[in-house]
Amino acid sequence: MERNPNENDFLENNLPENIPFNSQDSIFSSNLFLDGDGEIILTQTSDKLHWKSIESVLNGQDPSSCFGIELVSKSETTLCFSDIYSAEFIDLGLVHEASFRNARGPLLGQSFEMYRFTIRGVQKSKTQPSVLVPSLYTFGHKDAQTCQMWVNRINDFLNMDEARPKNLMVFVHPKSGKGLGCKVWETVAPTFSQAKVKTKVTVTERAGQALDIMSSITNKELRSYDGVVAVGGDGFFNEILNGLLLSRHKSSYPPRPTEINHPVEKNGNGPVLDANGDIRDPSDSGEDESPLLKQSTNLRTGEDSCQTAAEDLEFSFPNEKFRFGIIPAGSTDAIVICTTGARDAITSALQIVLGKAVCLDVAQVVRWKKTCTSKDEPCVRYAASFAGYGFYGDVITESEKYRWMGPKRYDYAGTKVFLRHRSYEAEVAYVEVESEKKNIGLEKESSGNWTKGLWSLLKKSERVACSANCGICKTKAGHTSARCPSLEPYSKDSRWLKSRGRFLSVGAAVISCRNEKAPDGLVADAHLSDGFLHLILIKDCPHAFYLCHLLQLAKKDGNPLDFEFVEHHKTPAFTFTSFGKESIWNVDGELFQAHQLSAQVFRGLINLFASGPEA
């Protein structure tokens, strides 16, 4: 069964030069040879490539089973342009026919020397829907110009996709996580070169280097890039995020705790605070400005920044053309898991080169006082995942002593902090959201009985988890524009609720914060871009009950918020005041000392190279 593509070749003599697979949808088609398969017809349509074996086209048969012979390969394949990231001519080489198998055993196919080109694409993992797997197809033809023509046509289609990055900054943290940052980058770097994405790589040598570079880079240079990629963990991404936002994001500060200390009425949850007073009404500053945020004299907000952005050529946020990317190499990688659904470096790299995009809320945390005796001096930090006090701050503080342990230091530090079981006196005020149900454990009639909180664990929670193409995240609030997003649900009628007491922890989650130790995260139904923080207050309680809460966090489909000593509030802003001597916060995995602070969320402030997790 010897065959030569130059003599009596089926491809050359028995078929016309081009056979369209579907005359209504076809743009172009050619007869080619697919490595590992055989002779095929490759068809290009407006949005995909499609190929099928020549035998099935001519005979109307599926050659996967014919006369007792089974083909190893699949006879029909479709590959969308949105899933292709590379097409490249690779000159002369061997192209192999498919292997056949019959009752007597395998019959190996022939090999031919042809001009070849490759197409690289992605497909979903069969076992993990959120994981992307690279796929490689090698096509052959006796004519080099035919191969080059296909490469040019495919690349022309790919270049039409403006969402795909062409030039990126890359920061690599060599000591992140288990110290594998450089190895992780070496693993994914070929994906960027194959996709013809230029990268300017910086391997950091000290803490804060990436922040310094991003804060000092000129707007002109920044515009030459399509985004910035962090190879590291959540803390490293936070460093890059703050480097950009601290110097370029213009906004008024949220109100400080002392500005909302006028209770106007009482309800079951504590004093309700008037949001008006010396806080501007929306009619004074335009639709796009939050009426709860006091106007700052040295910062432009709302319509003003919209009108002047084009004039002064500032690099402003939100910015749809500039995106952030994260390739996981940290200890927890919660942001990557929440935005891609997988802690997989290849998946993240593929989503970056394919130009995937998802909006992400960002919290602005403003420290007013570092200690109880320090002067008022605002200091701003931004958080993309979480800010926590008490237990969370103690864990990050304790873990700093054991950096030599790598990621295991968090388990060790967490155990030590749990055994101490320290609580802290503090006061938290937050904006009430009328449309949201407040989760404060059991019904009021069960108040005072800690054990009744356990009965709620038997009920299955009704959750609407965030996923790819999430309807909640795509539904923008009123008066939202690309340049100046509204800070809804702020309004002139908003009220502030206050909670004061002893807390084991105070946490504010921007996203669900899913990770390998908390499969559903702190808040399972948190969304990437809905304009809310999830304020979680863990009140002082017996040691055993706090352990139950932590065990529910570590459990798939657990209910960590269904305890009476746990308060859960969706809110766009909150303030915090400590009554202790020291107050340490954990902001995206970084230490932040703050005796008095305020926080607000900006909806969809940044864009990530990600598609959201699969449902």
Side-chain angles (χ1 to χ4, degrees):
M1 170 169 185
E2 299 235 354
R3 297 171 48 192
N4 189 318
N6 295 320
E7 294 181 8
N8 300 321
D9 187 77
F10 188 89
L11 197 69
E12 190 173 345
N13 298 326
N14 292 358
L15 282 175
E17 182 63 23
N18 296 310
I19 299 179
F21 177 73
N22 186 331
S23 59
Q24 295 181 348
D25 197 30
S26 175
I27 293 178
F28 185 77
S29 65
S30 289
N31 308 325
L32 299 170
F33 209 98
L34 176 61
D35 187 40
D37 195 322
E39 297 149 337
I40 55 99
I41 300 174
L42 177 62
T43 303
Q44 173 198 323
T45 66
S46 60
D47 61 347
K48 62 181 178 290
L49 297 177
H50 194 122
W51 60 88
K52 197 168 187 178
S53 67
I54 285 178
E55 288 89 342
S56 64
V57 174
L58 293 180
N59 304 326
Q61 297 176 349
D62 182 0
S64 61
S65 178
C66 182
F67 302 111
I69 300 176
E70 294 184 358
L71 273 171
V72 174
S73 59
K74 190 178 179 181
S75 64
E76 184 175 344
T77 303
T78 298
L79 191 60
C80 296
F81 281 115
S82 59
D83 293 329
I84 299 173
Y85 64 92
S86 172
E88 186 176 8
F89 179 73
I90 55 173
D91 211 350
L92 278 171
L94 292 178
V95 180
H96 308 276
E97 270 190 327
S99 297
F100 295 85
R101 181 178 297 276
N102 61 16
R104 299 186 220 174
L107 298 175
L108 297 180
Q110 303 297 304
S111 298
F112 308 115
E113 188 175 51
M114 295 182 178
Y115 291 98
R116 301 168 300 161
F117 68 95
T118 60
I119 297 176
R120 296 179 187 272
V122 301
Q123 57 187 6
K124 293 181 180 179
S125 167
K126 295 180 180 179
T127 57
Q128 303 177 68
S130 293
V131 174
L132 297 182
V133 180
S135 54
L136 174 64
Y137 304 93
T138 301
F139 298 87
H141 196 277
K142 57 183 172 51
D143 179 29
Q145 291 185 350
T146 299
C147 293
Q148 189 63 60
M149 176 199 64
W150 272 103
V151 170
N152 293 341
R153 292 181 70 93
I154 295 170
N155 283 328
D156 286 344
F157 268 80
L158 300 185
N159 292 333
M160 290 171 58
D161 188 352
E162 296 182 354
R164 300 190 182 218
K166 304 296 188 298
N167 195 13
L168 295 171
M169 286 183 290
V170 178
F171 290 93
V172 180
H173 192 322
K175 297 182 180 179
S176 183
K178 297 181 179 179
L180 301 177
C182 292
K183 289 186 178 180
V184 170
W185 171 246
E186 291 172 1
T187 300
V188 301
T191 300
F192 290 86
S193 59
Q194 291 159 2
K196 302 298 188 293
V197 178
K198 297 179 182 178
T199 55
K200 180 181 178 181
V201 182
T202 301
V203 179
T204 58
E205 299 176 352
R206 59 176 174 82
Q209 182 180 351
L211 186 146
D212 293 341
I213 292 175
M214 295 309 298
S215 60
S216 61
I217 189 173
T218 64
N219 291 336
K220 181 179 180 180
E221 184 179 357
L222 202 56
R223 289 191 190 92
S224 68
Y225 296 101
D226 300 304
V228 57
V229 176
V231 184
D234 296 332
F236 189 53
F237 171 71
N238 177 270
E239 180 181 329
I240 295 171
L241 178 71
N242 276 272
L244 268 180
L245 295 184
L246 286 174
S247 57
R248 290 174 172 84
H249 181 231
K250 308 299 182 182
S251 72
S252 294
Y253 294 149
R256 63 182 69 196
T258 56
E259 292 174 340
I260 53 172
N261 59 358
H262 305 293
V264 295
E265 61 177 281
K266 292 264 188 176
N267 68 7
N269 294 318
V272 177
L273 307 172
D274 191 2
N276 300 314
D278 61 346
I279 300 174
R280 290 170 63 98
D281 187 86
S283 61
D284 297 332
S285 57
E287 292 179 333
D288 285 332
E289 183 181 346
S290 163
L292 289 181
L293 305 183
K294 188 170 70 174
Q295 180 71 26
S296 172
T297 57
N298 63 342
L299 294 176
R300 294 193 312 277
T301 59
E303 289 183 348
D304 293 337
S305 63
C306 286
Q307 295 170 354
T308 59
E311 299 174 4
D312 58 19
L313 298 178
E314 288 187 353
F315 197 94
S316 59
F317 288 92
N319 192 312
E320 294 180 357
K321 295 182 178 180
F322 191 91
R323 276 165 285 174
F324 294 80
I326 312 175
I327 295 176
S331 300
T332 56
D333 300 311
I335 299 176
V336 165
I337 295 175
C338 290
T339 55
T340 69
R343 190 183 185 184
D344 181 71
I346 295 295
T347 296
S348 295
L350 290 172
Q351 292 201 1
I352 292 171
V353 299
L354 290 173
K356 303 298 183 181
V358 67
C359 292
L360 187 66
D361 291 345
V362 175
Q364 181 192 59
V365 181
V366 182
R367 178 182 68 199
W368 300 105
K369 298 183 70 173
K370 188 173 183 178
T371 66
C372 58
T373 58
S374 61
K375 295 181 180 179
D376 284 6
E377 187 176 356
C379 177
V380 179
R381 289 291 181 272
Y382 290 90
S385 60
F386 179 75
Y389 164 79
F391 178 83
Y392 305 109
D394 291 347
V395 170
I396 198 70
T397 301
E398 187 71 24
S399 68
E400 288 296 307
K401 304 174 184 177
Y402 308 100
R403 279 195 164 271
W404 55 271
M405 295 178 64
K408 292 183 179 179
R409 69 184 185 273
Y410 295 111
D411 296 332
Y412 181 69
T415 302
K416 290 185 67 175
V417 172
F418 169 76
L419 293 175
R420 291 176 192 162
H421 199 62
R422 294 179 60 183
S423 62
Y424 302 86
E425 186 174 0
E427 182 177 273
V428 180
Y430 55 93
V431 175
E432 180 187 36
V433 180
E434 295 287 352
S435 61
E436 296 297 327
K437 295 181 180 180
K438 288 172 277 297
N439 181 358
I440 57 173
L442 294 175
E443 301 294 334
K444 292 181 182 179
E445 56 266 23
S446 68
S447 179
N449 188 346
W450 295 107
T451 57
K452 289 191 177 181
L454 298 175
W455 289 103
S456 63
L457 303 180
L458 300 176
K459 298 189 337 182
K460 185 176 181 180
S461 299
E462 296 182 2
R463 299 165 176 167
V464 181
C466 193
S467 61
N469 300 313
C470 176
I472 293 176
C473 294
K474 284 189 173 183
T475 304
K476 296 296 184 182
H479 310 303
T480 299
S481 66
R483 284 190 176 273
C484 299
S486 170
L487 293 181
E488 294 286 345
Y490 279 110
S491 74
K492 65 180 181 180
D493 297 322
S494 296
R495 300 184 301 174
W496 289 76
L497 305 181
K498 182 186 294 184
S499 180
R500 177 171 178 172
R502 296 195 68 84
F503 300 98
L504 292 172
S505 66
V506 174
V510 184
I511 56 181
S512 65
C513 299
R514 292 167 53 195
N515 59 78
E516 292 179 352
K517 296 188 181 301
D520 291 332
L522 295 173
V523 184
D525 57 351
H527 286 264
L528 299 178
S529 182
D530 63 352
F532 287 106
L533 294 169
H534 288 262
L535 186 63
I536 305 171
L537 310 178
I538 311 294
K539 295 179 287 188
D540 196 8
C541 67
H543 214 150
F545 290 103
Y546 189 46
L547 177 61
C548 291
H549 164 73
L550 296 177
L551 290 175
Q552 287 297 313
L553 274 177
K555 179 183 177 183
K556 181 67 176 175
D557 296 324
N559 296 275
L561 305 180
D562 291 337
F563 294 93
E564 186 181 322
F565 55 86
V566 178
E567 291 186 26
H568 171 214
H569 309 282
K570 289 180 69 173
T571 181
F574 74 92
T575 67
F576 167 87
T577 301
S578 171
F579 294 102
K581 293 182 179 180
E582 291 186 355
S583 177
I584 303 296
W585 280 74
N586 174 348
V587 179
D588 277 358
E590 300 298 314
L591 288 170
F592 189 56
Q593 186 174 356
H595 171 78
Q596 192 178 80
L597 63 74
S598 304
Q600 63 180 339
V601 66
F602 291 92
R603 186 175 189 181
L605 183 61
I606 64 172
N607 289 277
L608 253 62
F609 287 109
S611 60
E614 291 294 327

